[in-house]
Amino acid sequence: MTYVPADDRYERMSYRRSGRSGLQLPGVSLGLWQNFGHDRPLDTSLAIVRRAFDLGVTHFDLANNYGPPYGSAEENFGRLMQQDLAPHRDELIISSKAGYDMWAGPYGEWGSRKYLLASLDQSLRRLGLEYVDIFYSHRFDPETPLEETMGALDTAVRQGKALYAGISSYSAEKTREAHAILRELGTPLVIHQPSYSMLNRWIEPDLLDALGELGIGCIVFSPLAQGMLTDKYLDGIPAGSRASRNGSLSPELINDQALAKIRALNEIASRRGQSLAQLALAWTLRDPRVTSALIGASSVEQLEANVASLDNLEFSADELAEIDQYATEADINIWSASSES
């Protein structure tokens, strides 16, 4: 059966401008870091992506090594594009990144021109696309001149293989340097993708000010602290959860101190008529410099619940003050090495 998206999809979603660019993104974007590799049924991925577009989610965020295995999220999304979304390509923002390990040898990670441009070509083949809308340097490379890394992004845009250039997990200082290099080359730096949540507030002291000053958009990833800011861990670590697998979320982080914060924040969410996840997403969007919150989803129901966070984005001064008592660092920023460089 031919997929026909919901007629009212754009009435259901609010959109925000990425800095001072012409690019607008939905308040909630869908990331394919988890749950879209070959280890999951393709029909489940298809249902989630279809429903996301029906709800007005127009931005789908990938990277070369999303899976598992590496590359499989892009391969699967390419199949979904061909099957359902190809007629709507010009309504979509599709992004990819390169920076972390992807293939063996010295040219398979970090920020060299060789790696970034080769990786982008591979991503386009997997996706079955002529271009991505945003191509990111996924992390700062301290060993490669920043001029080379940004020059590769500029080349990708000039070749028509990407429409916009972005960076992820760069410090405020390196963001300013990257912006200056790209401005001189004539390709604006349109967006930055940092981690950010109520338990990981590293962007507040300096980075948000830099982005606002320079007119760069901000799409925050891991706004639910890899699931810690959901009802999943209120009573400890359930079997089958991300923390139980001891992967990107260490079970050591689900300790008594963290659980006390999470439970207190859950009580605030309940008083607002929201789930903890909805509160966490709405909170990241309280700052107008944040363009979009990047969510994952393992089911249509989870996607719908998270998008519903946009129904209540208003916070009183008293609510924000109370949240600040519990929204404190929890040592979960596993990407900090890049942003500290």
Side-chain angles (χ1 to χ4, degrees):
M1 182 179 296
T2 301
Y3 165 65
V4 178
D7 289 337
D8 63 347
R9 58 190 179 278
Y10 295 118
E11 299 167 19
R12 301 184 179 195
M13 178 58 63
S14 58
Y15 299 86
R16 296 184 176 196
R17 192 167 299 277
S18 182
R20 291 194 289 269
S21 75
L23 178 63
Q24 297 185 59
L25 297 179
V28 166
S29 300
L30 182 62
L32 282 72
W33 176 25
Q34 309 275 347
N35 303 312
F36 289 87
H38 289 338
D39 61 333
R40 299 298 177 104
L42 188 61
D43 286 347
T44 301
S45 301
L46 172 63
I48 294 169
V49 169
R50 278 181 168 182
R51 185 57 178 153
F53 191 44
D54 284 343
L55 294 173
V57 176
T58 53
H59 178 29
F60 299 91
D61 180 81
L62 298 113
N64 56 358
N65 63 353
Y66 287 178
Y70 288 174
S72 60
E74 289 183 331
E75 290 173 356
N76 284 339
F77 191 79
R79 294 189 181 100
L80 303 183
M81 278 293 304
Q82 184 177 21
Q83 180 173 334
D84 278 338
L85 296 178
H88 307 280
R89 174 64 183 98
D90 293 335
E91 299 177 56
L92 304 176
I93 300 296
I94 300 169
S95 62
S96 192
K97 316 177 197 73
Y100 287 94
D101 63 299
M102 181 59 189
W103 63 83
Y107 319 120
E109 64 175 324
W110 292 106
S112 70
R113 181 180 184 85
K114 166 73 173 176
Y115 171 54
L116 292 180
L117 295 179
S119 179
L120 177 56
D121 283 341
Q122 291 181 20
S123 290
L124 293 176
R125 286 195 293 270
R126 285 189 291 268
L127 291 164
L129 300 176
E130 295 181 355
Y131 68 91
V132 292
D133 297 275
I134 306 171
F135 183 53
Y136 290 90
S137 166
H138 206 166
R139 61 171 168 171
F140 174 70
D141 180 354
E143 301 297 326
T144 297
L146 192 55
E147 290 81 1
E148 179 176 340
T149 302
M150 294 304 104
L153 296 184
D154 172 68
T155 295
V157 172
R158 292 184 183 279
Q159 289 178 339
K161 296 178 181 178
L163 300 187
Y164 297 100
I167 58 176
S168 180
S169 298
Y170 277 51
S171 68
E173 177 186 358
K174 294 303 177 183
T175 296
R176 291 182 184 276
E177 293 179 20
H179 173 270
I181 294 166
L182 283 170
R183 181 175 58 183
E184 187 164 339
L185 291 170
T187 295
L189 178 56
V190 166
I191 195 163
H192 189 299
Q193 187 175 132
S195 62
Y196 183 54
S197 72
M198 291 194 289
L199 302 179
N200 174 23
R201 301 179 64 167
W202 74 273
I203 70 174
E204 292 178 6
D206 302 303
L207 182 58
L208 276 177
D209 287 343
L211 299 179
E213 175 189 330
L214 299 173
I216 302 170
C218 178
I219 177 170
V220 298
F221 75 89
S222 200
L224 302 182
Q226 299 196 67
M228 287 178 67
L229 292 170
T230 69
D231 58 10
K232 185 177 297 183
Y233 297 105
L234 291 173
D235 298 313
I237 302 176
S241 64
R242 193 181 304 189
S244 71
R245 299 193 295 269
N246 198 17
S248 58
L249 179 60
S250 169
E252 296 177 359
L253 297 174
I254 315 296
N255 52 45
D256 290 343
Q257 183 180 12
L259 287 173
K261 296 179 186 179
I262 292 167
R263 289 165 180 157
L265 291 168
N266 186 59
E267 291 181 9
I268 297 171
S270 296
R271 296 201 300 268
R272 285 172 51 87
Q274 291 180 308
S275 68
L276 176 55
Q278 289 170 340
L279 169 71
L281 290 168
W283 180 88
T284 65
L285 293 167
R286 77 197 187 287
D287 192 311
R289 294 170 295 186
V290 175
T291 309
S292 183
L294 190 59
I295 63 167
S298 59
S299 67
V300 168
E301 293 74 21
Q302 185 182 58
L303 170 78
E304 291 173 338
N306 287 341
V307 172
S309 63
L310 300 174
D311 295 338
N312 185 6
L313 296 179
E314 299 299 322
F315 289 88
S316 69
D318 288 343
E319 283 178 320
L320 290 175
E322 185 179 7
I323 289 170
D324 279 342
Q325 297 178 43
Y326 308 106
T328 58
E329 297 297 326
D331 297 322
I332 64 170
N333 187 2
I334 61 176
W335 308 274
S336 61
S338 179
S339 56
E340 290 170 358
S341 299

